[in-house]
Amino acid sequence: FRPESLVYFERCQNIVVRDVTITNSPSWTLHTFRCDNVVISGVTILNDIAGPNTDGIDPNCSTNVRISDCHIVAGDDCNVVKATEDYPCENVTVTNCTLETTCAALKLGTESHGDIRHCTFSNCTIRNTSAGITLYQKDGGTMEDVLFSNITIETKGDVIYKHREWPIFIDLERRGPDSKVGVIRDVSFSGITITTQGRCVVQGMATQPIERLTMENVTVKVVGF
């Protein structure tokens, strides 16, 4: 009963979306699939905070994507980098955004059939969210060369699980028994300030540990107890 995406670009080049406001999307708001050279700037997205699957911006199997100066309120993930097919999503930059959601503000995955690499997230403010930064590798691709810097995160419990808060959540596992084992490596966090009642979770697999994860100048303030 809902469209898969409100604004959808498929196999396009040289896209510019600038200085527009999009409200009350019934599903993914702004979705690029197998696109190249994408600029999204000055966009405001205001969705129902309780609306399921109302993602903000979804670069999916797309390359050379630049997202900046956006304000997003969503009932699902705000900025989420995906690879729903065995095709890379790479060279993605997200900067100077303000983000609020009941789910994840900055997310890689869960759909990760192709490689997700060379991604930079910086100078963002995240508030009123149950999950700040998340990486979910479930489908056998590789997540690598990912940098998070100068980000402020304030979490709160979501509308269903009041006390579920994950400022940083990194999870490497197989989606199902027949899924391939993926890789997460070369991920860096620096200049991250967190206020939360929750905890940070990082978990790999015995057969495939997470490789070369670094954290520098990360401050966590636990409140509410």
Side-chain angles (χ1 to χ4, degrees), residues 15-145:
I15 300 167
V16 177
V17 181
R18 179 175 286 132
D19 300 332
V20 297
T21 297
I22 306 172
T23 63
N24 297 318
S25 174
S27 54
W28 293 8
T29 306
L30 183 51
H31 178 197
T32 68
F33 176 71
R34 287 210 180 191
C35 295
D36 179 62
N37 194 20
V38 179
V39 174
I40 301 171
S41 178
V43 172
T44 297
I45 295 174
L46 302 174
N47 292 337
D48 185 345
I49 200 71
N53 306 118
T54 56
D55 292 13
I57 301 173
D58 294 70
N60 180 12
C61 296
S62 295
T63 57
N64 302 313
V65 179
R66 298 176 297 283
I67 300 169
S68 66
D69 303 293
C70 295
H71 175 60
I72 301 174
V73 179
D76 208 330
D77 309 313
C78 288
N79 278 316
V80 49
V81 182
K82 295 179 178 288
T84 57
E85 295 184 355
D86 187 9
Y87 189 88
C89 195
E90 61 186 357
N91 301 338
V92 178
T93 299
V94 178
T95 189
N96 296 334
C97 293
T98 53
L99 310 169
E100 297 186 33
T101 174
T102 55
C103 293
L106 297 173
K107 180 178 178 181
L108 281 70
T110 61
E111 294 90 335
S112 47
H113 296 275
D115 294 340
I116 298 173
R117 58 197 179 208
H118 314 316
C119 300
T120 300
F121 304 85
S122 64
N123 302 321
C124 292
T125 299
I126 298 168
R127 299 186 64 247
N128 298 323
T129 177
S130 58
I133 297 170
T134 64
L135 285 76
Y136 294 102
Q137 173 52 266
K138 295 177 180 290
D139 299 310
T142 296
M143 291 181 182
E144 63 182 347
D145 188 21

